[in-house]
Amino acid sequence: FKENRKDDIWLVDFYAPWCGHCKKLEPVWNEVGIEMRNMGSPVKVGKMDATSFSSIASEFGVRGYPTIKLLKGDLAYNYRGPRTKDDIIEFANRVAGPLIRPLPSQHMFEHVQKRHRVLFVYVGGESPLKEKYIEVASELIVYAYFFSASEDVLPEYVTLPELPAVMVFKDGTYFVYDEYEDGDLSSWINRERFQGYLHVDGFTLYELGDTGKLVAIAVIDDKNSSVEHTRLKSIIQEVARDYRDHFHRDFQFGHMDGNDYINSLLMDDLTIPTIVVLNTSNQQYFLPDRHIESTEDMVQFINNILDGTAEAQGGDGLLQRIKRIIYDAKSTIVSVFKSSPLLGCFLFGLPLGVISIMCYGICTADTEGEIFEHEGAKKESGDRELTDEGSEEEQEEEKNGKYTELSDGDLKQKDIMEKKKD
């Protein structure tokens, strides 16, 4: 494989035999291989035990399991989307195909537009902008499709101020790249590769972190058709559509089904339905200080965030990191005990039992040592007393000597007093 891989395009799953996520992916991966073979795709699908072939895994920068990569010539593209059959196949077909796909007719343009929710199109001839467009496409093809077309292929409602131009078609309309207003082309494409309003999940939220945008989310229950749930979702949709020119450079809008993921992310228990704004770059988040009743309330909340008057919570400071470690440890223990109480008792009870026995042994050894040391010291002290005091006769003589010394002293003192009187 290492010697001949550049002769073909490979879609490879780097896995570890002990990895639970890898085992969960295995049946999906088998379906991917069967379907791509049946459709006549030039992409070869394989999997490699990264623990057995660690040198090859290290060469491709594999740091976690499972890691999915498409290998095309000297390039290796990482897949970071949902691990479903359709998403993986769509990724493989997009990256394995041409970098820039030409659109020769209006019919083809309409067909492509129906198939893809977001597509980028370059219009014009050879230019520095086209070279930059190709460069960006080689980097971001893992996320979006890139096309080229002549001006007469575009729909009639499209008007361009000048050529060449780069456009994005999404949300039922189009937007033209402006170097002076939008900055670097790569940054603009990275921001615009999402629809204005999304159904946000964990994978999408992870990818949105690369855009540098704040993410305004209505956290609701999709199965709940009550007025409050549908109202908050409608408010976010209206702001995304009607205030795009005001907020699209700084905000991404969407909704999330359920609060399990958001609770683990914020280390808090949010009551749904609610609205939260996430800053994925520093793990800060904003909650409205009052109930969002209308679109105007949501716009005011966003403006408060932009001008710095809204209070930010969370973050990536030292206290938050410590809190995250404690929260993750607690969550892990709870999840283990919920899924398998016996396994939890074994995993956590056995180490605690061993540690308790060790502590008891250490404490018992210290106590016995103190007793022996005390008795030894007492015996040594008794011997020293006998040695220092000597026999009874020696003690009697010592007392008589002291009395003699005292008597002589008294006599001398008496003589001195008599002399003073004279």
Side-chain angles (χ1 to χ4, degrees):
F1 167 78
K2 187 175 180 180
E3 296 173 355
N4 302 322
R5 71 170 186 83
K6 293 184 180 180
D7 298 337
D8 298 292
I9 301 174
W10 281 92
L11 183 66
V12 182
D13 166 30
F14 293 90
Y15 72 97
W18 44 261
C19 170
H21 294 291
C22 301
K23 293 177 182 178
K24 187 176 180 181
L25 175 64
E26 186 174 0
V28 176
W29 195 253
N30 292 336
E31 292 178 5
V32 169
I34 292 171
E35 184 156 335
M36 294 199 71
R37 182 181 59 197
N38 292 339
M39 68 172 59
S41 172
V43 179
K44 292 188 174 182
V45 181
K47 60 182 180 178
M48 179 178 292
D49 183 351
T51 61
S52 298
F53 303 97
S54 57
S55 60
I56 298 179
S58 177
E59 178 184 340
F60 291 117
V62 176
R63 295 182 178 85
Y65 309 112
T67 293
I68 298 174
K69 288 179 177 284
L70 188 134
L71 311 177
K72 184 180 179 182
D74 293 324
L75 301 176
Y77 296 92
N78 289 328
Y79 176 70
R80 300 195 301 179
R83 294 178 186 137
T84 64
K85 181 190 71 173
D86 293 338
D87 287 303
I88 294 173
I89 290 175
E90 198 269 345
F91 161 81
N93 290 333
R94 181 173 67 249
V95 180
L99 196 60
I100 309 294
R101 302 167 189 248
L103 296 174
S105 65
Q106 286 187 352
H107 177 73
M108 180 62 72
F109 188 97
E110 292 172 0
H111 173 73
V112 168
Q113 198 171 10
K114 290 178 181 177
R115 288 190 59 192
H116 306 299
R117 296 175 180 176
V118 179
L119 62 138
F120 294 92
V121 181
Y122 173 83
V123 183
E126 298 297 326
S127 68
L129 180 61
K130 184 176 182 179
E131 294 177 2
K132 181 66 176 177
Y133 181 72
I134 295 173
E135 179 184 340
V136 174
S138 65
E139 176 187 355
L140 299 179
I141 193 173
V142 293
Y143 302 120
Y145 284 90
F146 295 88
F147 299 89
S148 64
S150 58
E151 191 174 8
D152 57 351
V153 169
L154 301 177
E156 295 181 357
Y157 62 84
V158 175
T159 57
L160 296 175
E162 61 180 2
L163 292 177
V166 175
M167 314 165 62
V168 59
F169 289 83
K170 65 177 184 178
D171 302 329
T173 184
Y174 70 97
F175 306 97
V176 182
Y177 166 68
D178 187 326
E179 183 178 1
Y180 297 102
E181 291 187 4
D182 299 317
D184 180 64
L185 178 62
S186 178
S187 300
W188 179 78
I189 290 178
N190 199 35
R191 291 195 304 268
E192 296 292 342
R193 62 187 175 91
F194 295 99
Q195 292 178 282
Y197 182 88
L198 296 170
H199 181 184
V200 180
D201 55 16
F203 285 104
T204 307
L205 197 59
Y206 179 77
E207 287 190 14
L208 287 171
D210 296 335
T211 66
K213 291 183 179 183
L214 300 177
V215 187
I217 303 174
V219 186
I220 62 173
D221 182 358
D222 277 338
K223 297 178 182 178
N224 192 324
S225 59
S226 65
V227 175
E228 185 66 11
H229 287 257
T230 56
R231 185 177 61 82
L232 286 182
K233 182 177 178 180
S234 299
I235 288 175
I236 296 291
Q237 288 175 328
E238 289 176 12
V239 173
R241 181 185 67 245
D242 300 338
Y243 292 85
R244 172 189 157 81
D245 293 339
H246 296 85
F247 301 135
H248 83 279
R249 287 186 175 86
D250 301 303
F251 281 85
Q252 175 65 51
F253 299 93
H255 79 274
M256 180 175 284
D257 182 20
N259 61 350
D260 291 340
Y261 183 83
I262 203 74
N263 285 346
S264 64
L265 191 66
L266 306 185
M267 294 181 291
D268 198 359
D269 190 12
L270 293 182
T271 303
I272 58 173
T274 188
I275 288 177
V276 61
V277 176
L278 303 173
N279 187 339
T280 55
S281 63
N282 60 8
Q283 299 181 12
Q284 286 185 342
Y285 63 95
F286 301 85
L287 296 173
D289 56 0
R290 59 178 180 174
H291 195 59
I292 302 295
E293 295 285 351
S294 63
T295 303
E296 289 72 22
D297 291 340
M298 187 64 200
V299 171
Q300 182 62 48
F301 177 44
I302 293 175
N303 285 326
N304 290 342
I305 295 173
L306 291 175
D307 61 26
T309 57
E311 180 184 359
Q313 302 181 48
D316 54 0
L318 179 60
L319 292 177
Q320 284 297 122
R321 293 179 184 179
I322 295 173
K323 184 179 177 182
R324 169 60 65 184
I325 293 173
I326 296 173
Y327 180 86
D328 290 342
K330 180 181 176 182
S331 301
T332 302
I333 293 173
V334 171
S335 63
V336 169
F337 274 99
K338 281 185 176 180
S339 60
S340 179
L342 292 177
L343 179 62
C345 292
F346 177 78
L347 291 177
F348 299 104
L350 183 61
L352 289 175
V354 173
I355 293 172
S356 300
I357 293 173
M358 291 174 63
C359 292
Y360 176 78
I362 293 171
C363 294
T364 304
D366 288 346
T367 304
E368 291 175 353
E370 289 176 0
I371 293 172
F372 290 137
E373 185 178 350
H374 177 69
E375 291 179 351
K378 184 175 180 182
K379 183 178 180 181
E380 184 179 350
S381 175
D383 294 341
R384 189 182 298 112
E385 289 176 359
L386 291 173
T387 304
D388 293 342
E389 291 179 1
S391 63
E392 294 181 0
E393 294 177 355
E394 290 174 346
Q395 292 179 24
E396 189 66 28
E397 290 179 359
E398 186 176 347
K399 288 181 181 179
N400 293 335
K402 288 181 180 179
Y403 290 144
T404 304
E405 290 175 4
L406 291 173
S407 299
D408 293 341
D410 292 340
L411 292 173
K412 290 179 182 179
Q413 186 70 23
K414 186 176 181 182
D415 293 338
I416 292 171
M417 294 298 291
E418 289 178 353
K419 288 179 181 180
K420 284 184 179 180
K421 288 180 180 180
D422 294 340

